[in-house]
Amino acid sequence: MAVDETESVVVTDGQSDQEITMGVGRIRGSPQQWEESRFRTRLRSGARLLALAVALIAGVGAVGQAIGWVLLTTTIGPTAYLLLVHPQSESARLRCCLLGHACATASGLVCLAAFGLWHHPSAIELHRDNWRQIAAQTLAVGMTILLLVLLNANHPPAASTALLIASGLARPGPPLYGMLTGLVLLFVGVAVVSRFSAPPASVGDG
């Protein structure tokens, strides 16, 4: 693939929606060569993110195994994706992460208490939702969204946290403590990794 040193190539980075310069020179070649180059870049970035995700989530799980709590919950997945793949986005900022899950936790607990579900079996244990559980889950997610809009703290994975608590899957006690401990460990792990690792290249198709 030939390079003309008189011009530069500017592409859009999917992480921050800002234009960045990929190097000096205008890349000459067929569309197939250009696509192959982009694919190799995505492959390297994806492999790096795979390794980081496996290491971080396995580490959280290992701590849970050691202390006897379930730390790997479904809120870990979307939070890890956001922090690793889109670290420069507003939703991945520490303020948004902390406020997001704090508001979700408060909303979930308030709804459990309001609908008399504090000690009620979860929907998984009952193999169905009753109307009180449906109302609690619905209101918990809605309250979380309202609070985050008011606080200007966009963090989509928080809705998953609210739903876990209001459904009884992360009820007060070890299930709730485990979920919150897992999130804290994930935040710490990502912070440590970010100090010794370059931000990922774009993994989008754009």
Side-chain angles (χ1 to χ4, degrees), residues 102-119:
C103 290
T105 300
S107 298
L109 292 176
V110 165
C111 289
L112 280 180
F115 288 93
L117 298 171
W118 198 267
H119 301 292

Side-chain angles (χ1 to χ4, degrees), residues 37-120:
S37 175
R38 293 172 62 193
F39 175 77
R40 287 194 294 270
T41 299
R42 291 197 298 269
L43 181 61
R44 287 192 297 270
S45 181
R48 171 184 172 277
L49 291 170
L50 168 64
L52 289 176
V54 168
L56 287 171
I57 295 177
V60 172
V63 173
Q65 178 72 13
I67 65 177
W69 284 355
V70 177
L71 305 191
L72 293 180
T73 61
T74 53
T75 197
I76 290 284
T79 304
Y81 182 93
L82 180 62
L83 296 179
L84 291 175
V85 182
H86 300 289
Q88 304 302 322
S89 69
E90 179 184 354
S91 299
R93 293 176 182 173
L94 181 60
R95 173 183 178 276
C96 292
C97 292
L98 295 180
L99 282 176
H101 291 290
C103 290
T105 300
S107 298
L109 292 176
V110 165
C111 289
L112 280 180
F115 288 93
L117 298 171
W118 198 267
H119 301 292
H120 195 275

Side-chain angles (χ1 to χ4, degrees), residues 103-104 107 138-154 159:
C103 290
S107 298
T138 302
L139 186 58
V141 173
M143 288 175 57
T144 299
I145 294 172
L146 172 62
L147 290 173
L148 295 188
V149 169
L150 293 175
L151 294 171
N152 193 27
N154 180 37

